[in-house]
């Protein structure tokens, strides 16, 4: 879907897509050498050093590239969630936020639901609005509508296939079976759009947290555990692929000259799609051959344990009331920020992640970005993007080799 929707007015190629910009700038700096290569090296060193001290340097680097408004709300959300205990554990908040724990009060979930619903309305409004910048894009409004229709039909078909393969047709009544197919398709579709918008503006996306929200709503509907497990797996699988494809296409868009040659851009994008499909096929084979080894060692993604624990614990009926209540501020923030800033989506994303250091890193990066831009002007923007690419690369490289070192040598 992202291949068909990239460079439309909903997901424009001119959007931030920070990791894509970072990848492209790193490639360009390595190819051109000179001052850009030096700046890239400085960024790599900063990223690696910060990662050594457990600072989330990818968040710091992304702050130099992404949408400032969206990133600011993301940072605020991260800090509120990270320090919710000290901030909201007093008696004044006891009835609203028990123990100062936002997650137990389902505040982040409700805020994301409200912001997500408004974001959907904003997408619909964008589709109905005349495209005044059509000449600057390679995809028309008609192509966007066809992509959305294709995606809707595809998700319904996949939901039906999951229901059949999982034996849900024998476990659910016909009414619940239809409800499962419709809700699973809708949840996957919305999940993809929300994750895509967050990824485009900030470089971070709450894929697994949004999947948890779809799971909680599914529990409130009354789906049995087998259906819930299939539902959350389906939802969680859509968003990351959507976001990563956006980053890849953004990198290609920059390297191909920012769409200066539309035919060359479309052909290059098509080649990237072929490469991604080959990678998906290789990944399927690798997972098929290796999953038993991972499971035997109890190497499961932590979020899967959260999903399983949530299904096992059940959800109280009053959760629906809490979700509806906190959806209101989420909807308001998203509406006030507008579709170009996605402030509600990014604020909710921050609330869903327990990473206060990332919040400080994002806000510090924004302050440095503003000062740097005022000092260096337009030239400073290119410099910041190269340094940011290095910071993100340095963080990734250190994390990878640190993880490998721990695995090989047992260092903790």
């Amino acid at each position: 879907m992202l291949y068909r929707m990239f460079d439309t007015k909903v997901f424009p190629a001119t959007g931030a897509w920070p990791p894509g910009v970072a990848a492209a700038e790193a490639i360009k700096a390595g190819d051109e050498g000179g001052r850009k290569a030096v700046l890239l090296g400085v960024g790599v060193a900063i990223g690696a050093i910060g990662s050594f001290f457990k600072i989330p340097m990818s968040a710091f680097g992304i702050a130099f590239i992404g949408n400032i408004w969206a990133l600011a709300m993301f940072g605020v959300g991260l800090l509120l969630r990270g320090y919710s205990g000290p901030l909201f554990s007093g008696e004044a908040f006891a009835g609203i936020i028990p123990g100062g724990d936002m997650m137990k009060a389902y505040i982040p979930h409700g805020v994301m639901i409200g912001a997500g619903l408004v974001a959907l309305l904003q997408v619909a409004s964008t589709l109905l609005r005349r495209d005044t910048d059509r000449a600057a894009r390679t995809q028309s409004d008609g192509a966007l509508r066809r992509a959305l229709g294709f995606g809707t039909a595809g998700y319904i078909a996949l939901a039906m296939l999951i229901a059949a393969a999982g034996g849900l047709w024998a476990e659910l009544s016909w009414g619940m079976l239809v409800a499962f197919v419709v809700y699973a398709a809708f949840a996957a579709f919305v999940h993809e759009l929300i994750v895509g918008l967050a990824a485009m503006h900030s470089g971070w996306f709450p894929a697994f947290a949004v999947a948890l929200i779809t799971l909680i709503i599914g529990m409130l509907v009354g789906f049995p555990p087998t259906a819930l497990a299939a539902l959350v797996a389906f939802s969680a699988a859509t968003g990351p692929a959507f976001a990563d494809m956006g980053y890849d296409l953004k990198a290609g868009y920059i390297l191909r000259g920012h769409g200066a040659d539309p035919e060359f851009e479309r052909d290059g994008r098509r080649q990237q799609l072929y490469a991604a499909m080959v990678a998906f096929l290789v990944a399927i084979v690798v997972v098929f051959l290796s999953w038993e080894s991972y499971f035997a060692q109890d190497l499961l993604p932590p979020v899967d344990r959260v999903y399983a624990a949530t299904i096992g614990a059940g959800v109280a009926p009053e959760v629906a009331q809490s979700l509806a209540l906190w959806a209101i501020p989420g909807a308001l923030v998203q509406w006030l920020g507008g579709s170009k800033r996605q402030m509600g989506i990014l604020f909710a994303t921050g609330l869903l992640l327990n990473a206060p250091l990332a919040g400080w890193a994002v806000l510090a990066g924004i302050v440095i970005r503003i000062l740097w831009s005022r000092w260096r002007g337009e030239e400073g923007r290119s410099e910041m993007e190269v340094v940011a690419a290095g910071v993100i690369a340095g963080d990734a490289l250190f994390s990878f080799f640190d993880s490998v070192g721990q695995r090989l040598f047992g260092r903790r």
Side-chain angles (χ1 to χ4, degrees), residues 116-117 120 155 184-196 210 214 238:
L117 290 174
L120 282 180
Y155 281 138
F186 176 76
F189 185 82
V190 173
H191 182 274
E192 197 166 68
L193 288 179
I194 289 175
V195 168
V210 175
T214 65
T238 60

Side-chain angles (χ1 to χ4, degrees), residues 10 40 53 66 132 196 201 205 224 253-254 256 261 283 291 315 318 381 388 404 406:
V10 177
L40 182 69
F53 289 104
T132 56
H201 287 282
F205 50 87
Y253 173 79
I254 294 173
R256 288 187 291 268
D261 184 340
W291 72 270
V315 61
E318 56 266 21
R381 178 179 177 181
V404 170
Q406 290 184 25

Side-chain angles (χ1 to χ4, degrees), residues 30 66 89 139 225:
S89 59
Q139 296 281 44

Side-chain angles (χ1 to χ4, degrees), residues 254-297:
I254 294 173
L255 295 173
R256 288 187 291 268
H258 297 269
D261 184 340
E263 189 59 35
F264 179 53
E265 170 61 23
R266 279 189 286 265
D267 184 61
R269 204 179 296 163
R270 193 178 304 114
Q271 298 305 318
Q272 286 187 272
L273 175 65
Y274 295 156
M277 297 307 292
V278 171
F280 288 147
L281 293 174
V282 171
I284 290 171
V285 174
V286 171
V287 171
F288 178 76
L289 295 175
S290 62
W291 72 270
E292 286 185 304
S293 172
Y294 278 83
F295 279 31
Q297 300 175 69

Side-chain angles (χ1 to χ4, degrees), residues 25 36 39 377-387:
E25 291 298 334
K36 278 194 172 183
L39 289 172
E378 185 60 30
E379 185 181 354
R381 178 179 177 181
S382 177
E383 294 172 345
M384 283 189 296
E385 289 178 348
V386 175
V387 173

Side-chain angles (χ1 to χ4, degrees), residues 28-50:
K28 288 169 63 179
D31 182 57
E32 296 173 10
R35 189 166 186 271
K36 278 194 172 183
V38 173
L39 289 172
L40 182 69
V42 170
V44 170
I46 293 172
I49 293 170

